[in-house]
Amino acid sequence: DTRVLRARWTSCDREAHVTDRKSAQACEGKDMAMAAALRGARNKGMDGARRLLSTQTLPDLPYDYNALEPYISAEIMQLHHAKHHQTYVNNFNALAEQYTDAEAKGDVAKMIAMQSGIKFNGGGHVNHSIFWKNLCPANQFEPPTGKLASAIEESFGGLDALQKKFNPAAAAVQGSGWAWLALHPESKKLQVVTTSNQDPCSTTGHIPLLGVDVWEHAYYLQYKNVRPDYLKAVWNVVNWKDVAERFEKATA
């Protein structure tokens, strides 16, 4: 910490009236060492800031683009993953670099101006990274079991009842956004929540378990503007094993 280093720096007792050459040389060497330590502390702090905004990468899908057919087409999956998600990653990385530079310069106004872009693109990356793992090929589909199935039964009255609550909420999202099966961290109850644009589920105070993208790019090429048909179909490719793992972790 540079403040601690400065507090320890007594300028080599310059105020004690150094008179001999040996003491003066020692003083100069001590000054130089302290200056180097201060530079190192500042650089270490900068490196830490850069690590906090580390470069993000597009995650690989755990299945092929055509693996979710006929419920979600290969064309949609390829565009959605390789184009849309990649764009969120690229934009977030560019903004993160600019934010780090602005922070280093103390440009608070610029830092504030970039907040919405970081939230939007960072949220897009976070949300889609969950979404891909929440899905699986139809031939690997298995309904929820164990503790997750019990929690769904307790919170909604069963899987069918969950879908009847989830689908209307997702269909009612105005414009673009997401619908989530989420855990309330205090009550430990499952709830259906929605978010606008690319706002992460965490912005609602909930822990995301299952997210469904209701942006038109997630379904329009196949389902046109009939979002309810897409929502009905997506339940056939939900990876309940992944959802159960998230539930176990959130309730541990």
Side-chain angles (χ1 to χ4, degrees), residues 199-227:
D199 290 0
C201 179
S202 58
T203 60
T204 68
H206 292 75
I207 300 171
L209 303 178
L210 168 65
V212 175
D213 189 349
V214 293
W215 281 65
E216 284 193 342
H217 64 232
Y219 61 86
Y220 193 86
L221 290 176
Q222 185 171 359
Y223 295 97
K224 305 309 179 191
N225 64 335
V226 189
R227 185 187 289 177

Side-chain angles (χ1 to χ4, degrees), residues 22-48:
K22 186 176 181 180
S23 296
Q25 288 175 340
C27 180
E28 182 178 359
K30 201 170 184 179
D31 285 352
M32 293 176 65
M34 183 55 65
L38 286 169
R39 288 195 300 271
R42 285 194 295 268
N43 290 337
K44 184 178 180 181
M46 284 295 295
D47 290 342

Side-chain angles (χ1 to χ4, degrees), residues 79-94:
L79 288 170
H80 198 172
H81 176 255
K83 298 297 183 181
H84 290 280
H85 190 173
Q86 182 67 71
T87 298
Y88 295 127
V89 170
N90 293 345
N91 289 344
F92 175 81
N93 287 336

Side-chain angles (χ1 to χ4, degrees), residues 134-203:
N134 277 168
L135 303 177
C136 69
N139 60 9
Q140 297 178 16
F141 174 87
E142 294 180 8
T145 59
K147 293 180 180 179
L148 176 62
S150 298
I152 291 173
E153 181 70 33
E154 179 182 350
S155 298
F156 304 103
L159 184 57
D160 289 343
L162 165 61
Q163 293 177 19
K164 290 179 181 178
K165 184 175 182 65
F166 190 101
N167 285 13
V173 172
Q174 295 183 353
S176 302
W178 290 76
W180 303 91
L181 172 64
L183 181 73
H184 191 278
E186 295 180 2
S187 69
K188 300 298 182 181
K189 299 294 185 180
L190 299 181
Q191 297 178 355
V192 173
V193 298
T194 61
T195 54
S196 300
N197 299 314
Q198 291 297 352
D199 290 0
C201 179
S202 58
T203 60

Side-chain angles (χ1 to χ4, degrees), residues 57-88:
T57 58
L58 180 70
D60 293 331
L61 293 183
Y63 38 75
D64 294 332
Y65 285 133
N66 64 356
L68 306 184
E69 291 186 337
Y71 302 105
I72 304 178
S73 71
E75 182 181 17
I76 286 177
M77 289 300 298
Q78 184 172 10
L79 288 170
H80 198 172
H81 176 255
K83 298 297 183 181
H84 290 280
H85 190 173
Q86 182 67 71
T87 298
Y88 295 127

